[in-house]
Each structure stands twice: as structure tokens, then as C-alpha cells.
Amino acid sequence: MIRRNRILRNSPAIRAMVAETILRPSDFIAPLFIIEGKGIKEEISSMPGYFRHSLDLTVQEVKELWGMGIKSVLLFIKCADELKDNKGTEALNPNGLMQRAIRAVKEAVPGMLVMTDVALDPFSSYGHDGIVEGEEIVNDATVNVLAAMSVSHAEAGADFVAPSDMMDGRILAIREALEDNNFTKTGIMAYSAKYASCFYGPFRDALDSAPGFGDKKTYQMDFSNAREALKETLMDVDEGADIVMVKPAMAYLDIIRLIKDSVTVPVSAYHVSGEYAMIKAAAKMGWINEEKAVIESLTSIKRAGADLIATYFAKDAVRLLNN
Ligand code: PBG
């Protein structure tokens, strides 16, 4: 034999030297679920070890994340039922929970990049990402609200808005609205290839945002399709997206790679709630080693081409990497 491949796997030292993919704290975006109240930390039943926090405890959490080297948080709020309607009224409230959360986080840790979810589902009496007419989720009226919502988040101090709704034309509308209002430093992280996925189940428990009727298949993508993901992503880049996203992550590693090879903007991937829950559940049963599953999963997402990973394991991963 002139080449023995096992030479490069012989010891921890050589494996470390030739490792192609290395996770680091600044790869991670930590999603945060925020609720009204004080001193509240509620575990999400389908996401063991993950919590909804009131604003005061959210601020503490953000300080801790920053101390660990995590540079970005993605904010989601749980809107009170009585504030939900079919127009996204509360989404535009300058003193809404989201807007207060943005201000509180930026005030407590100015360096932390604050990204905000832009979609109507938490605010919608129908639990849909857009305005509902009859059985239809109407596109253009929704886009107008999303653009106004983005401006409202920018006014509160968001560094990036992250539209997760999959309406057509929303990236351009948001970019124009930001420009028109002089928010020339606000970025857009577009959920460009967001699939209609069963893996969002636990998230909808977390925010009580499951669709009241039907499903999200007329706006989120069909998981049979790859070329369509490329079409969506290239359009978002043309419309002004600064970062594009693939979601979910692990069942879509081929899509992450395809997009990484096709665009020059950073690519993020969202390791979603159901992916978190599956690892937690199998570990609880004693069927897999949680720590190893976390690192292997996140490394595979990065290896597939993700520059950034939104994950509920952000804190755990940093702790594991430090050991
Ligand atoms: C809302 C939104 C969802 C997620 C992020 N933003 C749920 C959905 O589209 O139904 C899912 C995140 C997760 O499952 O971790 N537009």
C-alpha cells in the first residue's frame, strides 16, 4: 500500500489537526421565547430544558449568552390571545412585547446582535403567517404589514429582521421600507427556503401559534423540491437579503449545500424545535448520547455549508466545545 488513510485518524492530535469543520460560539444564533410578566421561567413541555422567559429573565439570559461568546439572539414573543386579530395590529405596536424586548436586550448588551422574527402567526387569531380572507392567506396585504413590522423592529433597535413567512416579494418590500425610513444599517436575514415541515410542532406549542385551520403548504415550501429552494433564495438575494436561511436543517443538508454553492451571501440554517425535541427524547430514553448527538448534528450542518446555525442547543454546544 502506498497510502494508508488510517494514518490521519491515528490519535486525537492528528484528528484535531486535520479536522475540516470546527464549530465556534459565533456560529450560533440563540432563539429566545419571551412572555409577559416578571420573574417567569416556564419550561416548554415539548422542548425539555428550553424555556419561555419574561423580559427581566430574558435580559439575564442574554448577558449569559454574550459572556459565552454567542453573538446573536433571535427573538420570538408569545402574544396574549386577546391581542390577536387578523391584521397584525399588535405586531406594529411600538410598545408591544417584541418592541420592548428589542430595546431591553440592546440596552443590557449593546453588542449582542438582535434578530427578530417577522411573521404574523404569533399575532394572528388564525395562527397563520399572513392575513386570512376566507380560506386564503393573502399575499400582498400581508407583505405591507410585514414591511411596517420590520420598520417598527428597526425603530426599536433590531440589527436584523428575519422574515419567516414565505410571502412573495416581501424581501424587496422590507428593504424599500427600511430605506424609505432611513434604516440603512438594518440587515435582513431571509428565511428563503423554509419548508412546510412537521418538525416545527414543538415551536408552535411554545408560542401557542399552531394554525387554527388548514396547514401552511400554500406558502411554505414542499419538501419534495430542491430547485425551488434555489429559485426562492436567488430571488431573495436579488431583493436585498443580507443572509439567507434554510429551514429545517438536518433533513435538508442537500439544500444547504446547494445554496452554499450558489450564492455569495452568508447562509444560515435553522436547527428547529422538532430536531431539538428528537435528540432530547431519544437521550431521555437512554437510546443516544445527547452530548455526542448535539455536536455531531451541529457539525454536520456546518459541514453542509451553513455559516450560521440557529439552534436551541447553542448554550449546550458552547459548553461542550469548551470541555
Ligand atoms: C413562524 C416561525 C416558525 C418557526 C420559526 N418562525 C413556525 C412556523 O412556521 O410554523 C419554527 C421554528 C422551530 O420550529 O424551531 N413563522
Side-chain angles (χ1 to χ4, degrees), residues 17-94:
M17 286 181 75
V18 301
E20 296 173 35
T21 307
I22 318 275
L23 292 170
R24 24 166 220 171
S26 55
D27 294 335
F28 304 127
I29 299 168
L32 299 177
F33 297 124
I34 303 164
I35 52 176
E36 290 286 4
K38 256 202 175 134
I40 303 178
K41 179 177 177 181
E42 291 175 351
E43 190 167 31
I44 299 153
S45 57
S46 49
M47 300 178 71
Y50 219 76
F51 299 86
R52 287 180 284 252
H53 292 106
S54 52
L55 253 187
D56 50 339
L57 298 189
T58 297
V59 163
Q60 279 185 23
E61 180 75 10
V62 172
K63 287 181 180 161
E64 195 184 327
L65 291 165
W66 184 252
M68 298 174 81
I70 291 170
K71 309 284 184 212
S72 172
V73 291
L74 178 56
L75 306 187
F76 296 94
I77 63 104
K78 185 169 189 285
C79 179
D81 277 340
E82 60 273 18
L83 297 175
K84 295 182 183 182
D85 63 16
N86 189 29
K87 296 187 290 192
T89 309
E90 181 60 15
L92 305 181
N93 178 356

Side-chain angles (χ1 to χ4, degrees), residues 166 170 190-196 200 220-221 225-226 228-230 232-233 236 244-248 252 255-256 259 268:
M166 291 299 279
R170 90 276 207 218
Y191 286 64
S192 299
K194 177 170 178 179
Y195 286 86
Y200 308 149
Q220 299 179 348
M221 281 183 50
N225 297 349
E228 189 184 1
L230 190 53
E232 286 280 4
T233 306
D236 283 356
V244 293
M245 186 194 275
V246 176
K247 180 183 177 186
Y252 299 87
I255 310 297
I256 296 173
I259 284 173
S268 64

Side-chain angles (χ1 to χ4, degrees), residues 133-149:
E133 279 173 19
E135 296 275 283
E136 196 187 335
I137 318 307
V138 293
N139 195 87
D140 300 7
T142 300
V143 167
N144 291 336
V145 182
L146 297 173
M149 189 175 173

Side-chain angles (χ1 to χ4, degrees), residues 173-193:
I174 290 171
R175 177 57 78 203
E176 285 178 347
L178 291 172
E179 287 286 322
D180 288 347
N181 289 278
N182 254 314
F183 291 111
T184 54
K185 292 180 194 148
T186 312
I188 304 175
M189 178 169 75
Y191 286 64
S192 299

Side-chain angles (χ1 to χ4, degrees), residues 300-311:
S300 74
I301 295 166
K302 186 166 182 183
R303 190 193 64 229
D307 300 292
L308 299 168
I309 306 171
T311 175

Side-chain angles (χ1 to χ4, degrees), residues 64-307:
E64 195 184 327
L65 291 165
W66 184 252
M68 298 174 81
I70 291 170
K71 309 284 184 212
S72 172
V73 291
L74 178 56
L75 306 187
F76 296 94
I77 63 104
K78 185 169 189 285
C79 179
D81 277 340
E82 60 273 18
L83 297 175
K84 295 182 183 182
D85 63 16
N86 189 29
K87 296 187 290 192
T89 309
E90 181 60 15
L92 305 181
N93 178 356
N95 277 316
L97 182 55
M98 175 62 94
Q99 287 79 356
R100 279 181 281 137
I102 299 165
R103 288 194 292 265
V105 172
K106 287 307 286 185
E107 194 177 315
V109 190
M112 182 65 94
L113 293 172
V114 171
M115 301 182 164
T116 58
D117 189 61
V118 173
L120 292 186
D121 50 328
F123 306 96
S124 160
S125 37
Y126 293 103
H128 272 290
D129 289 26
I131 293 170
V132 176
E133 279 173 19
E135 296 275 283
E136 196 187 335
I137 318 307
V138 293
N139 195 87
D140 300 7
T142 300
V143 167
N144 291 336
V145 182
L146 297 173
M149 189 175 173
S150 299
V151 170
S152 166
H153 292 183
E155 260 159 13
D159 296 290
F160 281 80
V161 291
S164 66
D165 55 287
M166 291 299 279
M167 298 299 127
D168 289 326
R170 90 276 207 218
I171 302 303
L172 180 61
I174 290 171
R175 177 57 78 203
E176 285 178 347
L178 291 172
E179 287 286 322
D180 288 347
N181 289 278
N182 254 314
F183 291 111
T184 54
K185 292 180 194 148
T186 312
I188 304 175
M189 178 169 75
Y191 286 64
S192 299
K194 177 170 178 179
Y195 286 86
S197 169
C198 73
F199 295 111
Y200 308 149
F203 174 95
R204 294 175 188 171
D205 292 343
L207 296 187
D208 187 21
S209 63
F213 71 88
D215 52 40
K216 298 192 174 186
K217 290 182 181 169
T218 68
Y219 44 108
Q220 299 179 348
M221 281 183 50
D222 181 348
F223 52 72
S224 308
N225 297 349
R227 292 198 307 156
E228 189 184 1
L230 190 53
K231 177 180 74 173
E232 286 280 4
T233 306
L234 293 176
M235 286 178 71
D236 283 356
V237 172
D238 282 346
E239 291 179 29
D242 299 285
I243 301 173
V244 293
M245 186 194 275
V246 176
K247 180 183 177 186
M250 289 201 65
Y252 299 87
L253 296 180
D254 57 327
I255 310 297
I256 296 173
R257 173 47 56 190
L258 172 68
I259 284 173
K260 175 67 168 192
D261 288 342
S262 312
V263 301
T264 53
V265 297
V267 176
S268 64
Y270 201 138
H271 188 237
V272 301
S273 58
E275 303 180 88
Y276 174 89
M278 285 194 296
I279 291 177
K280 284 287 181 183
K284 189 175 173 196
M285 294 300 286
W287 293 340
I288 56 168
N289 175 308
E290 177 172 335
E291 300 184 345
K292 290 179 178 166
V294 168
I295 295 300
E296 185 173 336
S297 298
L298 298 177
T299 303
S300 74
I301 295 166
K302 186 166 182 183
R303 190 193 64 229
D307 300 292

